[in-house]
Amino acid sequence: MNDTPLDRLGAGSYLLITSFRKNGTGVPTPVWVVRDGDGLGVWTVADSWKVKRIRARADVLVGPCDLRGNPTGEQVPGTAEICDPATSARYRKLIARKYGVVGRLSLLGSRLRRGTDGTVGIRITLAD
């Protein structure tokens, strides 16, 4: 285990996801990450700019990073898609399990502020 980019990224604490503006400028954002079968799952605010950029342009770069978004390894290309409510709910459960008390408190705070529809999952498939 942990010998492929997918294994390493899924096992890491933070993922730096770089989405792209219409003019091609990359915007890196650190997020929590969970493994989702042959892809990665992240959780974010539904009306964030990151979600808007991904809806307009699905190609992303992803790589390991620290809490502040400083890269700690190589970025690899991938494709991102906004998930349906059922997959988003599954990602919330996976995040609660992986990140423990901090994850549960963050999820609770988000649910109180935004409700369950205020956040979405993003599934990332790495390029071959």
Side-chain angles (χ1 to χ4, degrees), residues 6 9-10 12-15 17 31-44 62 79 81 83 87-88 90-92 94-95 98-99 120-126:
L6 181 62
L9 293 172
S13 294
Y14 298 96
L15 182 75
I17 179 170
V31 292
W32 283 343
V33 61
V34 294
R35 178 74 181 264
D36 181 26
D38 60 352
L40 301 169
V42 302
W43 166 76
T44 191
V62 293
T79 303
E81 65 178 299
C83 298
T87 303
S88 296
R90 186 165 53 85
Y91 286 177
R92 285 191 286 272
L94 291 171
I95 284 169
K98 180 175 180 178
Y99 292 93
V120 295
I122 300 173
R123 178 169 165 70
I124 299 167
T125 305
L126 301 183

PDB file of all heavy atoms in Angstrom, residues 6 9-10 12-15 17 31-44 62 79 81 83 87-88 90-92 94-95 98-99 120-126:
ATOM      1  N   LEU A   6      -2.284   7.529  -6.131  1.00  0.00           N
ATOM      2  CA  LEU A   6      -3.624   7.477  -5.542  1.00  0.00           C
ATOM      3  C   LEU A   6      -3.561   7.044  -4.085  1.00  0.00           C
ATOM      4  O   LEU A   6      -4.211   7.641  -3.226  1.00  0.00           O
ATOM      5  CB  LEU A   6      -4.513   6.528  -6.358  1.00  0.00           C
ATOM      6  CG  LEU A   6      -5.947   6.379  -5.888  1.00  0.00           C
ATOM      7  CD1 LEU A   6      -6.692   7.707  -5.968  1.00  0.00           C
ATOM      8  CD2 LEU A   6      -6.664   5.325  -6.714  1.00  0.00           C
ATOM      9  N   LEU A   9      -1.889   9.971  -1.982  1.00  0.00           N
ATOM     10  CA  LEU A   9      -2.771  11.140  -1.827  1.00  0.00           C
ATOM     11  C   LEU A   9      -3.967  10.818  -0.941  1.00  0.00           C
ATOM     12  O   LEU A   9      -4.374  11.632  -0.119  1.00  0.00           O
ATOM     13  CB  LEU A   9      -3.226  11.640  -3.195  1.00  0.00           C
ATOM     14  CG  LEU A   9      -2.130  12.241  -4.070  1.00  0.00           C
ATOM     15  CD1 LEU A   9      -2.657  12.518  -5.476  1.00  0.00           C
ATOM     16  CD2 LEU A   9      -1.548  13.489  -3.444  1.00  0.00           C
ATOM     17  N   GLY A  10      -4.549   9.635  -1.102  1.00  0.00           N
ATOM     18  CA  GLY A  10      -5.702   9.255  -0.291  1.00  0.00           C
ATOM     19  C   GLY A  10      -5.369   9.070   1.174  1.00  0.00           C
ATOM     20  O   GLY A  10      -6.210   9.274   2.048  1.00  0.00           O
ATOM     21  N   GLY A  12      -2.992  10.789   2.755  1.00  0.00           N
ATOM     22  CA  GLY A  12      -2.497  12.042   3.327  1.00  0.00           C
ATOM     23  C   GLY A  12      -3.570  12.800   4.092  1.00  0.00           C
ATOM     24  O   GLY A  12      -4.770  12.540   3.966  1.00  0.00           O
ATOM     25  N   SER A  13      -3.133  13.751   4.904  1.00  0.00           N
ATOM     26  CA  SER A  13      -4.078  14.565   5.679  1.00  0.00           C
ATOM     27  C   SER A  13      -4.705  15.675   4.853  1.00  0.00           C
ATOM     28  O   SER A  13      -5.867  16.013   5.038  1.00  0.00           O
ATOM     29  CB  SER A  13      -3.377  15.187   6.880  1.00  0.00           C
ATOM     30  OG  SER A  13      -2.980  14.183   7.779  1.00  0.00           O
ATOM     31  N   TYR A  14      -3.914  16.277   3.952  1.00  0.00           N
ATOM     32  CA  TYR A  14      -4.403  17.399   3.164  1.00  0.00           C
ATOM     33  C   TYR A  14      -4.054  17.192   1.697  1.00  0.00           C
ATOM     34  O   TYR A  14      -3.003  16.660   1.362  1.00  0.00           O
ATOM     35  CB  TYR A  14      -3.800  18.727   3.639  1.00  0.00           C
ATOM     36  CG  TYR A  14      -4.168  19.042   5.058  1.00  0.00           C
ATOM     37  CD1 TYR A  14      -3.312  18.731   6.101  1.00  0.00           C
ATOM     38  CD2 TYR A  14      -5.391  19.625   5.360  1.00  0.00           C
ATOM     39  CE1 TYR A  14      -3.665  18.996   7.417  1.00  0.00           C
ATOM     40  CE2 TYR A  14      -5.755  19.888   6.661  1.00  0.00           C
ATOM     41  CZ  TYR A  14      -4.888  19.570   7.693  1.00  0.00           C
ATOM     42  OH  TYR A  14      -5.241  19.829   8.979  1.00  0.00           O
ATOM     43  N   LEU A  15      -4.942  17.656   0.848  1.00  0.00           N
ATOM     44  CA  LEU A  15      -4.749  17.592  -0.591  1.00  0.00           C
ATOM     45  C   LEU A  15      -4.791  19.009  -1.131  1.00  0.00           C
ATOM     46  O   LEU A  15      -5.692  19.781  -0.798  1.00  0.00           O
ATOM     47  CB  LEU A  15      -5.877  16.773  -1.232  1.00  0.00           C
ATOM     48  CG  LEU A  15      -5.786  16.568  -2.742  1.00  0.00           C
ATOM     49  CD1 LEU A  15      -4.709  15.530  -3.051  1.00  0.00           C
ATOM     50  CD2 LEU A  15      -7.125  16.087  -3.290  1.00  0.00           C
ATOM     51  N   ILE A  17      -5.660  21.019  -4.114  1.00  0.00           N
ATOM     52  CA  ILE A  17      -6.387  20.902  -5.379  1.00  0.00           C
ATOM     53  C   ILE A  17      -6.284  22.248  -6.090  1.00  0.00           C
ATOM     54  O   ILE A  17      -6.624  23.283  -5.525  1.00  0.00           O
ATOM     55  CB  ILE A  17      -7.853  20.465  -5.160  1.00  0.00           C
ATOM     56  CG1 ILE A  17      -8.588  20.365  -6.483  1.00  0.00           C
ATOM     57  CG2 ILE A  17      -8.578  21.372  -4.213  1.00  0.00           C
ATOM     58  CD1 ILE A  17      -9.957  19.719  -6.374  1.00  0.00           C
ATOM     59  N   VAL A  31      -7.486  21.055   1.013  1.00  0.00           N
ATOM     60  CA  VAL A  31      -8.740  20.455   1.477  1.00  0.00           C
ATOM     61  C   VAL A  31      -8.440  19.119   2.152  1.00  0.00           C
ATOM     62  O   VAL A  31      -7.389  18.515   1.933  1.00  0.00           O
ATOM     63  CB  VAL A  31      -9.740  20.221   0.308  1.00  0.00           C
ATOM     64  CG1 VAL A  31     -10.238  21.533  -0.262  1.00  0.00           C
ATOM     65  CG2 VAL A  31      -9.113  19.368  -0.783  1.00  0.00           C
ATOM     66  N   TRP A  32      -9.384  18.650   2.964  1.00  0.00           N
ATOM     67  CA  TRP A  32      -9.297  17.298   3.501  1.00  0.00           C
ATOM     68  C   TRP A  32      -9.609  16.326   2.380  1.00  0.00           C
ATOM     69  O   TRP A  32     -10.384  16.634   1.472  1.00  0.00           O
ATOM     70  CB  TRP A  32     -10.306  17.113   4.612  1.00  0.00           C
ATOM     71  CG  TRP A  32      -9.897  17.733   5.913  1.00  0.00           C
ATOM     72  CD1 TRP A  32      -8.642  18.137   6.287  1.00  0.00           C
ATOM     73  CD2 TRP A  32     -10.750  18.014   7.009  1.00  0.00           C
ATOM     74  NE1 TRP A  32      -8.680  18.641   7.551  1.00  0.00           N
ATOM     75  CE2 TRP A  32      -9.950  18.575   8.021  1.00  0.00           C
ATOM     76  CE3 TRP A  32     -12.103  17.839   7.239  1.00  0.00           C
ATOM     77  CZ2 TRP A  32     -10.471  18.961   9.255  1.00  0.00           C
ATOM     78  CZ3 TRP A  32     -12.622  18.219   8.460  1.00  0.00           C
ATOM     79  CH2 TRP A  32     -11.808  18.780   9.450  1.00  0.00           C
ATOM     80  N   VAL A  33      -9.042  15.138   2.462  1.00  0.00           N
ATOM     81  CA  VAL A  33      -9.204  14.160   1.386  1.00  0.00           C
ATOM     82  C   VAL A  33      -9.478  12.777   1.963  1.00  0.00           C
ATOM     83  O   VAL A  33      -8.973  12.419   3.016  1.00  0.00           O
ATOM     84  CB  VAL A  33      -7.945  14.136   0.478  1.00  0.00           C
ATOM     85  CG1 VAL A  33      -6.704  13.742   1.267  1.00  0.00           C
ATOM     86  CG2 VAL A  33      -8.140  13.222  -0.709  1.00  0.00           C
ATOM     87  N   VAL A  34     -10.321  12.031   1.260  1.00  0.00           N
ATOM     88  CA  VAL A  34     -10.581  10.624   1.583  1.00  0.00           C
ATOM     89  C   VAL A  34     -10.423   9.802   0.310  1.00  0.00           C
ATOM     90  O   VAL A  34     -10.571  10.313  -0.794  1.00  0.00           O
ATOM     91  CB  VAL A  34     -11.984  10.408   2.200  1.00  0.00           C
ATOM     92  CG1 VAL A  34     -12.083  11.076   3.563  1.00  0.00           C
ATOM     93  CG2 VAL A  34     -13.077  10.903   1.277  1.00  0.00           C
ATOM     94  N   ARG A  35     -10.119   8.549   0.490  1.00  0.00           N
ATOM     95  CA  ARG A  35     -10.023   7.630  -0.648  1.00  0.00           C
ATOM     96  C   ARG A  35     -11.434   7.192  -1.019  1.00  0.00           C
ATOM     97  O   ARG A  35     -12.253   6.891  -0.163  1.00  0.00           O
ATOM     98  CB  ARG A  35      -9.159   6.429  -0.242  1.00  0.00           C
ATOM     99  CG  ARG A  35      -9.000   5.365  -1.300  1.00  0.00           C
ATOM    100  CD  ARG A  35      -8.047   5.835  -2.407  1.00  0.00           C
ATOM    101  NE  ARG A  35      -7.915   4.837  -3.435  1.00  0.00           N
ATOM    102  CZ  ARG A  35      -6.940   3.947  -3.509  1.00  0.00           C
ATOM    103  NH1 ARG A  35      -5.981   3.932  -2.605  1.00  0.00           N
ATOM    104  NH2 ARG A  35      -6.916   3.079  -4.484  1.00  0.00           N
ATOM    105  N   ASP A  36     -11.722   7.154  -2.306  1.00  0.00           N
ATOM    106  CA  ASP A  36     -13.026   6.722  -2.806  1.00  0.00           C
ATOM    107  C   ASP A  36     -12.799   5.724  -3.932  1.00  0.00           C
ATOM    108  O   ASP A  36     -12.807   6.094  -5.111  1.00  0.00           O
ATOM    109  CB  ASP A  36     -13.834   7.929  -3.284  1.00  0.00           C
ATOM    110  CG  ASP A  36     -15.213   7.534  -3.795  1.00  0.00           C
ATOM    111  OD1 ASP A  36     -15.743   6.494  -3.350  1.00  0.00           O
ATOM    112  OD2 ASP A  36     -15.763   8.264  -4.640  1.00  0.00           O
ATOM    113  N   GLY A  37     -12.552   4.480  -3.578  1.00  0.00           N
ATOM    114  CA  GLY A  37     -12.323   3.443  -4.578  1.00  0.00           C
ATOM    115  C   GLY A  37     -11.132   3.774  -5.451  1.00  0.00           C
ATOM    116  O   GLY A  37     -10.008   3.886  -4.974  1.00  0.00           O
ATOM    117  N   ASP A  38     -11.384   3.992  -6.741  1.00  0.00           N
ATOM    118  CA  ASP A  38     -10.295   4.304  -7.670  1.00  0.00           C
ATOM    119  C   ASP A  38     -10.113   5.810  -7.847  1.00  0.00           C
ATOM    120  O   ASP A  38      -9.531   6.267  -8.819  1.00  0.00           O
ATOM    121  CB  ASP A  38     -10.535   3.637  -9.018  1.00  0.00           C
ATOM    122  CG  ASP A  38     -11.823   4.091  -9.688  1.00  0.00           C
ATOM    123  OD1 ASP A  38     -12.609   4.810  -9.048  1.00  0.00           O
ATOM    124  OD2 ASP A  38     -12.049   3.729 -10.850  1.00  0.00           O
ATOM    125  N   GLY A  39     -10.628   6.586  -6.894  1.00  0.00           N
ATOM    126  CA  GLY A  39     -10.489   8.041  -6.948  1.00  0.00           C
ATOM    127  C   GLY A  39     -10.319   8.622  -5.560  1.00  0.00           C
ATOM    128  O   GLY A  39     -10.093   7.908  -4.583  1.00  0.00           O
ATOM    129  N   LEU A  40     -10.427   9.933  -5.481  1.00  0.00           N
ATOM    130  CA  LEU A  40     -10.315  10.669  -4.233  1.00  0.00           C
ATOM    131  C   LEU A  40     -11.590  11.461  -4.018  1.00  0.00           C
ATOM    132  O   LEU A  40     -12.239  11.880  -4.978  1.00  0.00           O
ATOM    133  CB  LEU A  40      -9.125  11.631  -4.284  1.00  0.00           C
ATOM    134  CG  LEU A  40      -7.760  11.010  -4.526  1.00  0.00           C
ATOM    135  CD1 LEU A  40      -6.732  12.095  -4.820  1.00  0.00           C
ATOM    136  CD2 LEU A  40      -7.338  10.177  -3.339  1.00  0.00           C
ATOM    137  N   GLY A  41     -11.939  11.696  -2.772  1.00  0.00           N
ATOM    138  CA  GLY A  41     -13.105  12.505  -2.448  1.00  0.00           C
ATOM    139  C   GLY A  41     -12.715  13.657  -1.548  1.00  0.00           C
ATOM    140  O   GLY A  41     -11.900  13.488  -0.635  1.00  0.00           O
ATOM    141  N   VAL A  42     -13.263  14.829  -1.820  1.00  0.00           N
ATOM    142  CA  VAL A  42     -13.071  15.985  -0.954  1.00  0.00           C
ATOM    143  C   VAL A  42     -14.447  16.583  -0.661  1.00  0.00           C
ATOM    144  O   VAL A  42     -15.430  16.283  -1.328  1.00  0.00           O
ATOM    145  CB  VAL A  42     -12.117  17.044  -1.567  1.00  0.00           C
ATOM    146  CG1 VAL A  42     -10.766  16.440  -1.866  1.00  0.00           C
ATOM    147  CG2 VAL A  42     -12.693  17.668  -2.807  1.00  0.00           C
ATOM    148  N   TRP A  43     -14.493  17.424   0.347  1.00  0.00           N
ATOM    149  CA  TRP A  43     -15.739  18.022   0.807  1.00  0.00           C
ATOM    150  C   TRP A  43     -15.528  19.523   0.889  1.00  0.00           C
ATOM    151  O   TRP A  43     -14.494  19.979   1.370  1.00  0.00           O
ATOM    152  CB  TRP A  43     -16.051  17.410   2.172  1.00  0.00           C
ATOM    153  CG  TRP A  43     -17.089  18.072   2.989  1.00  0.00           C
ATOM    154  CD1 TRP A  43     -18.431  18.001   2.816  1.00  0.00           C
ATOM    155  CD2 TRP A  43     -16.881  18.865   4.157  1.00  0.00           C
ATOM    156  NE1 TRP A  43     -19.074  18.718   3.812  1.00  0.00           N
ATOM    157  CE2 TRP A  43     -18.131  19.254   4.647  1.00  0.00           C
ATOM    158  CE3 TRP A  43     -15.752  19.298   4.841  1.00  0.00           C
ATOM    159  CZ2 TRP A  43     -18.292  20.033   5.775  1.00  0.00           C
ATOM    160  CZ3 TRP A  43     -15.908  20.087   5.966  1.00  0.00           C
ATOM    161  CH2 TRP A  43     -17.172  20.445   6.416  1.00  0.00           C
ATOM    162  N   THR A  44     -16.487  20.304   0.403  1.00  0.00           N
ATOM    163  CA  THR A  44     -16.314  21.750   0.399  1.00  0.00           C
ATOM    164  C   THR A  44     -17.670  22.462   0.401  1.00  0.00           C
ATOM    165  O   THR A  44     -18.715  21.839   0.208  1.00  0.00           O
ATOM    166  CB  THR A  44     -15.475  22.189  -0.828  1.00  0.00           C
ATOM    167  OG1 THR A  44     -15.099  23.558  -0.675  1.00  0.00           O
ATOM    168  CG2 THR A  44     -16.235  21.998  -2.120  1.00  0.00           C
ATOM    169  N   VAL A  62      -3.637  17.894  -8.502  1.00  0.00           N
ATOM    170  CA  VAL A  62      -3.736  17.549  -7.086  1.00  0.00           C
ATOM    171  C   VAL A  62      -2.390  17.040  -6.593  1.00  0.00           C
ATOM    172  O   VAL A  62      -1.618  16.444  -7.346  1.00  0.00           O
ATOM    173  CB  VAL A  62      -4.831  16.489  -6.818  1.00  0.00           C
ATOM    174  CG1 VAL A  62      -6.209  17.053  -7.097  1.00  0.00           C
ATOM    175  CG2 VAL A  62      -4.594  15.231  -7.627  1.00  0.00           C
ATOM    176  N   THR A  79      -9.203  14.778 -13.036  1.00  0.00           N
ATOM    177  CA  THR A  79     -10.486  15.328 -13.451  1.00  0.00           C
ATOM    178  C   THR A  79     -11.398  15.355 -12.232  1.00  0.00           C
ATOM    179  O   THR A  79     -11.484  14.369 -11.495  1.00  0.00           O
ATOM    180  CB  THR A  79     -11.122  14.457 -14.549  1.00  0.00           C
ATOM    181  OG1 THR A  79     -10.209  14.367 -15.638  1.00  0.00           O
ATOM    182  CG2 THR A  79     -12.427  15.058 -15.033  1.00  0.00           C
ATOM    183  N   GLU A  81     -15.288  16.156 -10.490  1.00  0.00           N
ATOM    184  CA  GLU A  81     -16.724  16.264 -10.752  1.00  0.00           C
ATOM    185  C   GLU A  81     -17.448  16.525  -9.441  1.00  0.00           C
ATOM    186  O   GLU A  81     -17.068  16.004  -8.394  1.00  0.00           O
ATOM    187  CB  GLU A  81     -17.255  15.001 -11.436  1.00  0.00           C
ATOM    188  CG  GLU A  81     -17.170  13.756 -10.595  1.00  0.00           C
ATOM    189  CD  GLU A  81     -17.747  12.535 -11.291  1.00  0.00           C
ATOM    190  OE1 GLU A  81     -18.942  12.536 -11.610  1.00  0.00           O
ATOM    191  OE2 GLU A  81     -16.980  11.582 -11.497  1.00  0.00           O
ATOM    192  N   CYS A  83     -20.309  16.003  -6.883  1.00  0.00           N
ATOM    193  CA  CYS A  83     -21.055  14.780  -6.558  1.00  0.00           C
ATOM    194  C   CYS A  83     -22.527  15.049  -6.268  1.00  0.00           C
ATOM    195  O   CYS A  83     -22.919  16.152  -5.896  1.00  0.00           O
ATOM    196  CB  CYS A  83     -20.432  14.114  -5.338  1.00  0.00           C
ATOM    197  SG  CYS A  83     -18.731  13.612  -5.605  1.00  0.00           S
ATOM    198  N   THR A  87     -23.558  10.802  -2.597  1.00  0.00           N
ATOM    199  CA  THR A  87     -22.101  10.674  -2.538  1.00  0.00           C
ATOM    200  C   THR A  87     -21.514  11.717  -1.602  1.00  0.00           C
ATOM    201  O   THR A  87     -20.596  11.436  -0.835  1.00  0.00           O
ATOM    202  CB  THR A  87     -21.492  10.801  -3.951  1.00  0.00           C
ATOM    203  OG1 THR A  87     -22.086   9.813  -4.790  1.00  0.00           O
ATOM    204  CG2 THR A  87     -19.982  10.610  -3.930  1.00  0.00           C
ATOM    205  N   SER A  88     -22.062  12.928  -1.626  1.00  0.00           N
ATOM    206  CA  SER A  88     -21.601  13.977  -0.722  1.00  0.00           C
ATOM    207  C   SER A  88     -21.797  13.553   0.730  1.00  0.00           C
ATOM    208  O   SER A  88     -20.914  13.752   1.573  1.00  0.00           O
ATOM    209  CB  SER A  88     -22.338  15.290  -0.995  1.00  0.00           C
ATOM    210  OG  SER A  88     -22.046  15.771  -2.293  1.00  0.00           O
ATOM    211  N   ARG A  90     -21.866  10.482   1.830  1.00  0.00           N
ATOM    212  CA  ARG A  90     -20.890   9.415   2.097  1.00  0.00           C
ATOM    213  C   ARG A  90     -19.518  10.013   2.378  1.00  0.00           C
ATOM    214  O   ARG A  90     -18.817   9.567   3.284  1.00  0.00           O
ATOM    215  CB  ARG A  90     -20.833   8.452   0.911  1.00  0.00           C
ATOM    216  CG  ARG A  90     -19.961   7.237   1.151  1.00  0.00           C
ATOM    217  CD  ARG A  90     -20.209   6.152   0.121  1.00  0.00           C
ATOM    218  NE  ARG A  90     -20.106   6.599  -1.248  1.00  0.00           N
ATOM    219  CZ  ARG A  90     -18.958   6.682  -1.929  1.00  0.00           C
ATOM    220  NH1 ARG A  90     -17.832   6.338  -1.362  1.00  0.00           N
ATOM    221  NH2 ARG A  90     -18.960   7.095  -3.191  1.00  0.00           N
ATOM    222  N   TYR A  91     -19.134  11.044   1.648  1.00  0.00           N
ATOM    223  CA  TYR A  91     -17.854  11.707   1.897  1.00  0.00           C
ATOM    224  C   TYR A  91     -17.828  12.335   3.289  1.00  0.00           C
ATOM    225  O   TYR A  91     -16.802  12.295   3.969  1.00  0.00           O
ATOM    226  CB  TYR A  91     -17.565  12.766   0.833  1.00  0.00           C
ATOM    227  CG  TYR A  91     -17.168  12.214  -0.515  1.00  0.00           C
ATOM    228  CD1 TYR A  91     -16.943  13.053  -1.582  1.00  0.00           C
ATOM    229  CD2 TYR A  91     -17.013  10.845  -0.734  1.00  0.00           C
ATOM    230  CE1 TYR A  91     -16.570  12.565  -2.832  1.00  0.00           C
ATOM    231  CE2 TYR A  91     -16.649  10.348  -1.975  1.00  0.00           C
ATOM    232  CZ  TYR A  91     -16.430  11.210  -3.016  1.00  0.00           C
ATOM    233  OH  TYR A  91     -16.067  10.723  -4.244  1.00  0.00           O
ATOM    234  N   ARG A  92     -18.941  12.921   3.713  1.00  0.00           N
ATOM    235  CA  ARG A  92     -18.989  13.498   5.061  1.00  0.00           C
ATOM    236  C   ARG A  92     -18.739  12.415   6.110  1.00  0.00           C
ATOM    237  O   ARG A  92     -18.008  12.640   7.079  1.00  0.00           O
ATOM    238  CB  ARG A  92     -20.325  14.206   5.299  1.00  0.00           C
ATOM    239  CG  ARG A  92     -20.426  15.555   4.591  1.00  0.00           C
ATOM    240  CD  ARG A  92     -21.635  16.363   5.035  1.00  0.00           C
ATOM    241  NE  ARG A  92     -22.883  15.867   4.515  1.00  0.00           N
ATOM    242  CZ  ARG A  92     -23.403  16.224   3.338  1.00  0.00           C
ATOM    243  NH1 ARG A  92     -22.771  17.069   2.553  1.00  0.00           N
ATOM    244  NH2 ARG A  92     -24.565  15.726   2.956  1.00  0.00           N
ATOM    245  N   LEU A  94     -17.066   9.571   5.665  1.00  0.00           N
ATOM    246  CA  LEU A  94     -15.668   9.155   5.552  1.00  0.00           C
ATOM    247  C   LEU A  94     -14.737  10.183   6.192  1.00  0.00           C
ATOM    248  O   LEU A  94     -13.756   9.824   6.850  1.00  0.00           O
ATOM    249  CB  LEU A  94     -15.286   8.941   4.084  1.00  0.00           C
ATOM    250  CG  LEU A  94     -15.933   7.745   3.393  1.00  0.00           C
ATOM    251  CD1 LEU A  94     -15.651   7.769   1.885  1.00  0.00           C
ATOM    252  CD2 LEU A  94     -15.461   6.436   4.001  1.00  0.00           C
ATOM    253  N   ILE A  95     -15.044  11.458   6.035  1.00  0.00           N
ATOM    254  CA  ILE A  95     -14.235  12.515   6.646  1.00  0.00           C
ATOM    255  C   ILE A  95     -14.350  12.453   8.162  1.00  0.00           C
ATOM    256  O   ILE A  95     -13.351  12.570   8.872  1.00  0.00           O
ATOM    257  CB  ILE A  95     -14.633  13.892   6.081  1.00  0.00           C
ATOM    258  CG1 ILE A  95     -14.047  14.029   4.670  1.00  0.00           C
ATOM    259  CG2 ILE A  95     -14.170  15.032   6.987  1.00  0.00           C
ATOM    260  CD1 ILE A  95     -14.536  15.194   3.879  1.00  0.00           C
ATOM    261  N   LYS A  98     -12.163   9.539   9.239  1.00  0.00           N
ATOM    262  CA  LYS A  98     -10.719   9.744   9.054  1.00  0.00           C
ATOM    263  C   LYS A  98     -10.156  10.822   9.975  1.00  0.00           C
ATOM    264  O   LYS A  98      -9.074  10.668  10.524  1.00  0.00           O
ATOM    265  CB  LYS A  98     -10.421  10.106   7.595  1.00  0.00           C
ATOM    266  CG  LYS A  98      -8.929  10.339   7.321  1.00  0.00           C
ATOM    267  CD  LYS A  98      -8.658  10.566   5.860  1.00  0.00           C
ATOM    268  CE  LYS A  98      -7.173  10.809   5.605  1.00  0.00           C
ATOM    269  NZ  LYS A  98      -6.884  10.982   4.173  1.00  0.00           N
ATOM    270  N   TYR A  99     -10.878  11.923  10.148  1.00  0.00           N
ATOM    271  CA  TYR A  99     -10.338  13.075  10.864  1.00  0.00           C
ATOM    272  C   TYR A  99     -10.790  13.161  12.321  1.00  0.00           C
ATOM    273  O   TYR A  99     -10.446  14.117  13.006  1.00  0.00           O
ATOM    274  CB  TYR A  99     -10.655  14.368  10.108  1.00  0.00           C
ATOM    275  CG  TYR A  99      -9.905  14.437   8.803  1.00  0.00           C
ATOM    276  CD1 TYR A  99     -10.481  13.990   7.618  1.00  0.00           C
ATOM    277  CD2 TYR A  99      -8.603  14.912   8.751  1.00  0.00           C
ATOM    278  CE1 TYR A  99      -9.785  14.026   6.417  1.00  0.00           C
ATOM    279  CE2 TYR A  99      -7.893  14.959   7.561  1.00  0.00           C
ATOM    280  CZ  TYR A  99      -8.497  14.512   6.397  1.00  0.00           C
ATOM    281  OH  TYR A  99      -7.797  14.545   5.218  1.00  0.00           O
ATOM    282  N   VAL A 120     -20.843  20.168  -0.639  1.00  0.00           N
ATOM    283  CA  VAL A 120     -20.877  19.116  -1.662  1.00  0.00           C
ATOM    284  C   VAL A 120     -19.570  18.337  -1.630  1.00  0.00           C
ATOM    285  O   VAL A 120     -18.543  18.834  -1.171  1.00  0.00           O
ATOM    286  CB  VAL A 120     -21.079  19.685  -3.093  1.00  0.00           C
ATOM    287  CG1 VAL A 120     -22.429  20.333  -3.241  1.00  0.00           C
ATOM    288  CG2 VAL A 120     -19.964  20.622  -3.480  1.00  0.00           C
ATOM    289  N   GLY A 121     -19.645  17.138  -2.166  1.00  0.00           N
ATOM    290  CA  GLY A 121     -18.449  16.350  -2.369  1.00  0.00           C
ATOM    291  C   GLY A 121     -17.927  16.599  -3.769  1.00  0.00           C
ATOM    292  O   GLY A 121     -18.689  16.925  -4.690  1.00  0.00           O
ATOM    293  N   ILE A 122     -16.640  16.464  -3.917  1.00  0.00           N
ATOM    294  CA  ILE A 122     -16.003  16.531  -5.238  1.00  0.00           C
ATOM    295  C   ILE A 122     -15.196  15.247  -5.400  1.00  0.00           C
ATOM    296  O   ILE A 122     -14.368  14.924  -4.543  1.00  0.00           O
ATOM    297  CB  ILE A 122     -15.066  17.751  -5.352  1.00  0.00           C
ATOM    298  CG1 ILE A 122     -15.840  19.041  -5.154  1.00  0.00           C
ATOM    299  CG2 ILE A 122     -14.352  17.745  -6.714  1.00  0.00           C
ATOM    300  CD1 ILE A 122     -14.967  20.283  -5.095  1.00  0.00           C
ATOM    301  N   ARG A 123     -15.464  14.526  -6.458  1.00  0.00           N
ATOM    302  CA  ARG A 123     -14.723  13.300  -6.740  1.00  0.00           C
ATOM    303  C   ARG A 123     -13.627  13.622  -7.750  1.00  0.00           C
ATOM    304  O   ARG A 123     -13.873  14.274  -8.769  1.00  0.00           O
ATOM    305  CB  ARG A 123     -15.651  12.227  -7.326  1.00  0.00           C
ATOM    306  CG  ARG A 123     -14.925  10.943  -7.683  1.00  0.00           C
ATOM    307  CD  ARG A 123     -15.895   9.827  -8.003  1.00  0.00           C
ATOM    308  NE  ARG A 123     -15.277   8.720  -8.661  1.00  0.00           N
ATOM    309  CZ  ARG A 123     -14.423   7.861  -8.118  1.00  0.00           C
ATOM    310  NH1 ARG A 123     -14.081   8.011  -6.869  1.00  0.00           N
ATOM    311  NH2 ARG A 123     -13.911   6.862  -8.801  1.00  0.00           N
ATOM    312  N   ILE A 124     -12.433  13.160  -7.455  1.00  0.00           N
ATOM    313  CA  ILE A 124     -11.290  13.412  -8.327  1.00  0.00           C
ATOM    314  C   ILE A 124     -10.746  12.089  -8.833  1.00  0.00           C
ATOM    315  O   ILE A 124     -10.462  11.175  -8.053  1.00  0.00           O
ATOM    316  CB  ILE A 124     -10.182  14.176  -7.563  1.00  0.00           C
ATOM    317  CG1 ILE A 124     -10.733  15.520  -7.098  1.00  0.00           C
ATOM    318  CG2 ILE A 124      -8.952  14.346  -8.455  1.00  0.00           C
ATOM    319  CD1 ILE A 124      -9.878  16.217  -6.098  1.00  0.00           C
ATOM    320  N   THR A 125     -10.646  11.996 -10.132  1.00  0.00           N
ATOM    321  CA  THR A 125     -10.065  10.829 -10.787  1.00  0.00           C
ATOM    322  C   THR A 125      -8.727  11.249 -11.365  1.00  0.00           C
ATOM    323  O   THR A 125      -8.644  12.221 -12.124  1.00  0.00           O
ATOM    324  CB  THR A 125     -10.990  10.323 -11.920  1.00  0.00           C
ATOM    325  OG1 THR A 125     -12.286  10.088 -11.384  1.00  0.00           O
ATOM    326  CG2 THR A 125     -10.451   9.041 -12.523  1.00  0.00           C
ATOM    327  N   LEU A 126      -7.664  10.556 -10.957  1.00  0.00           N
ATOM    328  CA  LEU A 126      -6.339  10.886 -11.461  1.00  0.00           C
ATOM    329  C   LEU A 126      -6.178  10.461 -12.900  1.00  0.00           C
ATOM    330  O   LEU A 126      -6.713   9.430 -13.312  1.00  0.00           O
ATOM    331  CB  LEU A 126      -5.263  10.215 -10.598  1.00  0.00           C
ATOM    332  CG  LEU A 126      -5.251  10.585  -9.115  1.00  0.00           C
ATOM    333  CD1 LEU A 126      -4.084   9.892  -8.413  1.00  0.00           C
ATOM    334  CD2 LEU A 126      -5.194  12.079  -8.912  1.00  0.00           C
TER     335      LEU A 126
END
